[in-house]
Structures are given as structure tokens and as C-alpha cells.
């Protein structure tokens, strides 16, 4: 018997069994401090050194164990700042997915020394040779901005920056239940802008549809609530709409469910939809901060370990628990970021098999399509789907008012 190994495993087992959750969170906090110290020593920028450390809260509700939607740590800081007038210089975000590395050395925390850096061409070759055929995709608001929908967080142009017209106390309040019950009108004003049928899928959406057509899309995880993935032809069984959908709605009083289209007329007429049974407010099944995530979100438990390639497109990777999914694929799996900026682990813990195509999202996707040799095929798909989308929009606009 290897007594040294036996001793290590036994000690580790007893430590994990006897340590409280709060204790583990304390060790995680210690590790994050060490990480921040390392990064501060790596850069001389005064602005970088002055960025505060943010303690990340657990994403699990202690009462029932359900996973809840959490605003980014920076949102809480900015919320307090907006209410007090304090100017915050900057915030560095850390993903909860890195915590297991402290205990087990798992995930993406390996040594990269001596390993050749993967390129976008290398990744597309793996797809062409069918060595990658279980592709998981994570997308955010940046996927839909080329369709004309503003994202949430871009300074000056994002939805959060343009919500002053609704006279809300702080931008994120529009997605908070307490504020919604006090004043639901701002949310429904925003819903009128985002409701499915107002916009069309773009080139990047149809790239994801082509992955599905070729049978290599394992699952598409989206933070978006615009429904453009569905309009592009990706079936619901391949979708995980992590932050909810307008496709269905629920009465906030009697909890009856309704098709979202039943209340499209009210939303377009800037009326607050009411339940025909109990007259309670009908809320689209969009996930607000503090609400439970859809049950399909838990498909990630099996999807991400099975994935042999991860695409991350147009997301800031700031909202938990969605953001942490980027760290749950196997360490050997290539991760491709197509985004305006470096975010999440691509920024603070890059690996040899991470590829970042920075800049405009559509340009990045076009680069991937070109390397795959799918350009003509994708153009044909978009041409065929254009008429279907036109008919869908006409039907959506023809729905009579309730």
C-alpha cells in the first residue's frame, strides 16, 4: 500500500467532511486574495492597484438549495455608489468556478509552460477533422447587438446606461422583483423594445444554426431574452435560455402559465398585462435577480464535462452563475472567445488552449466561418431563412390587442 497517498486522501476526506461551508468560503476568499496580490505584482498601473477586492456571495439559496440569478459583484458596488455619490475607480471580477483549484488543482489551473499556444486556425482544423463534434456555446447580449438590440453594460450605449427615462433608482432595479411589484411599468416599457418579432437574427445567429444543422452543437446556453436563437431555427431542446424567455408568462398571483404571445398586444400598447382569472400582473418568464434559474440550466452538469469545444460569444461573463460555466469544461478542451474585450478567465487566467478573437462579434464569427470553409453554405442558409423570418415578423405584428 502507498501509505503516503493513503494518508493524504484520508486527511483530505476528514478535512472536507468536518469543514463548514463558511469555512470553505473563507479558504476561497484567501485564494482570491492571493490571486489579486499576484496580479498587482504583475502590473504597475496605479488604477489596477487601486481596484477593490470583491467577495463573491454563494449562488445557492441556503433555505432550499436552489440556484439563483446573481448580479455581478460590480453591480452591488455601483448601486451603492450611485446612491451615495461615491465614485468607484474600478472592480476586478473573479469567477466562482476557480475555487475548486484551491482544493483539487482541477479545471483550468494547470501549468502552461512548454505547451504550444492554440490558434483559431488550429481550432477550426479540429472541427473540420470532426475531432470536435460536441460543441457547447455560451452567448450574451453582444451576440444580438448587430441585430440592433443594445447590450446591457456598454457605457453610454447599453440598456443600463439608457434607463434614466424610466426614473428608476438604479439601472438594475428594472430586473428586481421588489421594484417590479412597486412599479411594473418600466419593465414593460423595456419589454416592448425587446419583445420577440421586433428584430431579426444576424450572421452570428445563423453560424450557430449551421453548427446545429451539421449535428455538432451539443447545447447553446444564452443569457439573451430576445428569442433570436429560436427565430434563427435552433430548436428549444438545443437551447438553455438561462435568464428566461418571453415565450411563456406567469401570473404573479395565481401562478397560472400562459403563452407569451397572448399578451403581446398589451405590451405593445404599453399596458400592464393582467391575468384574466385573478387580475394579477402577468410577468413574462424572464429571470429577475434573486429568482430561481430555469430547470434546464442544470443540463450544464452533464453538457460541459461532455463538451470537446467551448465557444463564448458576446458576453461580459459578469452575471453569476452563468459566468462560472466557462470554467467547468475539462482542462484539455479548447475555449474560443469571440468578444469585444478579454473577459473572465481569458483576462486573468489564460491557458495555452484558450483562443481570443477580439473586436466586432460578427467579424470574429466571419473569420471562423472563413477558416472552416463554410462561407457559401452559410450564405445559402441565411437566404433561405430570410423569408421565414419575414413571415414570422408579420405574424407577430398582426397579433390583435388584448
Amino acid at each position: 500500500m502507498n501509505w503516503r497517498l493513503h494518508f493524504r486522501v484520508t486527511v483530505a476526506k476528514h478535512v472536507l467532511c468536518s469543514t463548514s461551508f463558511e469555512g470553505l468560503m473563507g479558504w476561497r476568499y484567501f485564494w482570491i486574495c492571493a490571486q489579486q496580490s499576484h496580479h498587482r505584482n504583475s502590473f504597475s498601473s496605479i488604477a489596477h492597484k487601486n481596484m477593490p477586492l470583491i467577495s463573491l456571495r454563494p449562488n445557492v439559496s441556503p433555505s432550499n438549495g436552489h440556484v439563483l440569478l446573481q448580479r455581478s459583484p460590480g453591480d452591488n458596488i455601483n448601486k451603492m455608489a450611485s446612491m451615495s455619490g461615491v465614485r468607484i475607480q474600478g472592480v476586478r471580477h473573479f469567477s466562482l468556478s476557480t475555487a475548486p483549484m484551491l482544493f483539487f488543482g482541477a479545471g483550468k489551473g494547470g501549468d502552461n509552460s512548454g505547451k504550444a499556444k492554440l490558434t483559431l486556425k488550429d481550432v477550426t482544423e479540429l472541427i473540420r477533422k470532426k475531432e470536435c463534434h460536441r460543441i457547447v456555446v455560451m452567448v450574451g447580449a453582444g451576440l444580438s447587438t448587430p441585430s440592433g438590440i443594445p447590450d446591457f453594460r456598454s457605457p453610454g450605449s447599453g440598456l443600463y446606461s439608457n434607463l434614466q427615462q424610466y426614473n428608476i433608482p438604479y439601472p438594475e432595479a428594472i430586473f428586481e422583483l421588489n421594484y417590479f411589484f412597486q412599479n411594473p411599468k418600466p419593465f414593460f416599457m423595456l419589454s416592448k423594445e425587446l419583445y420577440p418579432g421586433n428584430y431579426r437574427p444576424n450572421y452570428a445567429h445563423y453560424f450557430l444554426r449551421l453548427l446545429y444543422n451539421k449535428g455538432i452543437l451539443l447545447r447553446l446556453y444564452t443569457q439573451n431574452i430576445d428569442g433570436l436563437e429560436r427565430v434563427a431555427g435552433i430548436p428549444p431542446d438545443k437551447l438553455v435560455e438561462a435568464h428566461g424567455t418571453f415565450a411563456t408568462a406567469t401570473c404573479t398571483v395565481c401562478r397560472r402559465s400562459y403563452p407569451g404571445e397572448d399578451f403581446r398586444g398589451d405590451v405593445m400598447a404599453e399596458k400592464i398585462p393582467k391575468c384574466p382569472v385573478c387580475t394579477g400582473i402577468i410577468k413574462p418568464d424572464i429571470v429577475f435577480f434573486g429568482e430561481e434559474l430555469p430547470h434546464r440550466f442544470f443540463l450544464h452538469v452533464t453538457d460541459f464535462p461532455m463538451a470537446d469545444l467551448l465557444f463564448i460569444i458576446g458576453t461580459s461573463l459578469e452575471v453569476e452563475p452563468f459566468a462560472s460555466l466557462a470554467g467547468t469544461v475539462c482542462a484539455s478542451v479548447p475555449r474560443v472567445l469571440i468578444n469585444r474585450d478579454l473577459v473572465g478567465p481569458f483576462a486573468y487566467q489564460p491557458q495555452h488552449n484558450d483562443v481570443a478573437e477580439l473586436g466586432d462579434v460578427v467579424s470574429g464569427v466571419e473569420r471562423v466561418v472563413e477558416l472552416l470553409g463554410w462561407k457559401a453554405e452559410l450564405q445559402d442558409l441565411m437566404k433561405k431563412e430570410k423569408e421565414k423570418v419575414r413571415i414570422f415578423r408579420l405574424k407577430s405584428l398582426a397579433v390583435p390587442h388584448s
Side-chain angles (χ1 to χ4, degrees):
M1 177 184 291
N2 188 333
W3 290 102
R4 181 175 297 178
L5 177 61
H6 174 74
F7 175 76
R8 288 178 179 173
V9 172
T10 304
V11 169
K13 185 195 302 183
H14 284 294
V15 167
L16 288 176
C17 289
S18 61
T19 303
S20 65
F21 178 78
E22 290 77 8
L24 292 176
M25 289 300 98
W27 278 105
R28 177 178 66 82
Y29 183 83
F30 173 79
W31 181 82
I32 290 175
C33 288
Q35 282 288 98
Q36 188 186 44
S37 175
H38 168 75
H39 284 278
R40 281 181 174 177
N41 292 335
S42 301
F43 299 92
S44 58
S45 168
I46 295 176
H48 190 283
K49 289 182 178 180
N50 287 339
M51 290 183 182
L53 177 67
I54 302 302
S55 177
L56 300 182
R57 297 178 297 169
N59 297 315
V60 181
S61 170
S63 59
N64 55 20
H66 292 152
V67 176
L68 309 179
L69 177 66
Q70 301 285 329
R71 65 166 56 86
S72 71
D75 288 342
N76 292 326
I77 293 289
N78 293 333
K79 172 181 170 180
M80 289 185 292
S82 66
M83 297 173 68
S84 64
V86 177
R87 182 169 178 263
I88 303 298
Q89 186 168 10
V91 176
R92 294 186 57 225
H93 305 290
F94 291 90
S95 170
L96 287 175
S97 63
T98 56
M101 296 177 215
L102 172 64
F103 307 108
F104 309 113
K108 294 283 179 180
D111 182 12
N112 295 324
S113 57
K115 296 180 181 179
K117 181 70 175 173
L118 207 65
T119 66
L120 190 61
K121 186 175 182 179
D122 295 331
V123 173
T124 55
E125 281 299 310
L126 291 174
I127 299 174
R128 286 168 61 90
K129 294 175 181 177
K130 298 185 178 179
E131 293 181 26
C132 290
H133 56 278
R134 295 188 301 274
I135 301 175
V136 170
V137 184
M138 297 171 61
V139 301
L143 181 76
S144 296
T145 51
S147 295
I149 302 176
D151 67 11
F152 283 91
R153 298 177 183 277
S154 292
S157 62
L159 285 174
Y160 279 169
S161 295
N162 297 322
L163 290 175
Q164 301 303 322
Q165 57 183 307
Y166 302 123
N167 296 318
I168 56 179
Y170 46 90
E172 294 81 10
I174 206 165
F175 291 114
E176 289 184 355
L177 280 176
N178 288 339
Y179 185 77
F180 175 81
F181 289 126
Q182 294 174 26
N183 183 15
K185 191 168 184 179
F187 171 75
F188 285 108
M189 293 290 290
L190 181 64
S191 297
K192 180 183 177 182
E193 173 73 15
L194 297 178
Y195 223 85
N198 293 340
Y199 299 93
R200 297 186 181 188
N202 61 61
Y203 190 92
H205 289 102
Y206 286 113
F207 165 66
L208 303 180
R209 164 69 185 277
L210 194 54
L211 292 179
Y212 164 71
N213 286 358
K214 291 180 175 292
I216 58 177
L217 178 66
L218 177 59
R219 205 85 63 193
L220 169 58
Y221 286 73
T222 178
Q223 294 174 282
N224 298 334
I225 58 177
D226 50 50
L228 290 181
E229 297 88 0
R230 293 185 184 223
V231 179
I234 299 171
D237 67 300
K238 287 293 181 181
L239 275 174
V240 172
E241 292 161 313
H243 294 168
T245 175
F246 282 105
T248 56
T250 303
C251 175
T252 56
V253 177
C254 69
R255 307 307 298 169
R256 283 179 171 84
S257 293
Y258 298 94
E261 281 300 304
D262 287 1
F263 301 95
R264 178 184 177 85
D266 282 339
V267 173
M268 292 298 109
E270 299 183 4
K271 298 178 182 178
I272 296 174
K274 296 294 182 68
C275 177
V277 178
C278 72
T279 70
I281 298 175
I282 298 288
K283 173 182 167 293
D285 290 335
I286 304 302
V287 182
F288 280 26
F289 291 119
E291 283 194 299
E292 296 176 23
L293 295 183
H295 293 304
R296 286 184 58 80
F297 180 79
F298 296 95
L299 288 172
H300 76 83
V301 174
T302 54
D303 285 346
F304 279 74
M306 287 177 58
D308 49 27
L309 175 60
L310 176 63
F311 275 106
I312 302 172
I313 305 175
T315 173
S316 62
L317 288 182
E318 289 186 1
V319 178
E320 295 289 358
F322 187 91
S324 290
L325 296 182
T328 59
V329 293
C330 297
S332 59
V333 171
R335 302 185 300 187
V336 179
L337 175 70
I338 302 176
N339 203 45
R340 185 185 57 193
D341 305 305
L342 282 177
V343 294
F346 292 86
Y348 67 79
Q349 198 174 39
Q351 301 298 307
H352 75 282
N353 52 357
D354 285 348
V355 177
E357 186 73 16
L358 301 182
D360 177 70
V361 165
V362 169
S363 297
V365 172
E366 286 176 341
R367 172 70 173 151
V368 173
V369 171
E370 182 182 356
L371 290 171
L372 288 168
W374 294 355
K375 191 172 181 179
E377 193 174 353
L378 186 53
Q379 291 292 346
D380 288 343
L381 173 64
M382 292 178 66
K383 192 177 296 184
K384 291 176 184 176
E385 291 295 316
K386 186 176 181 180
E387 182 63 17
K388 293 181 183 178
V389 172
R390 189 183 70 84
I391 295 172
F392 174 83
R393 291 191 73 196
L394 289 175
K395 286 182 178 179
S396 298
L397 295 173
V399 173
H401 295 332
S402 300

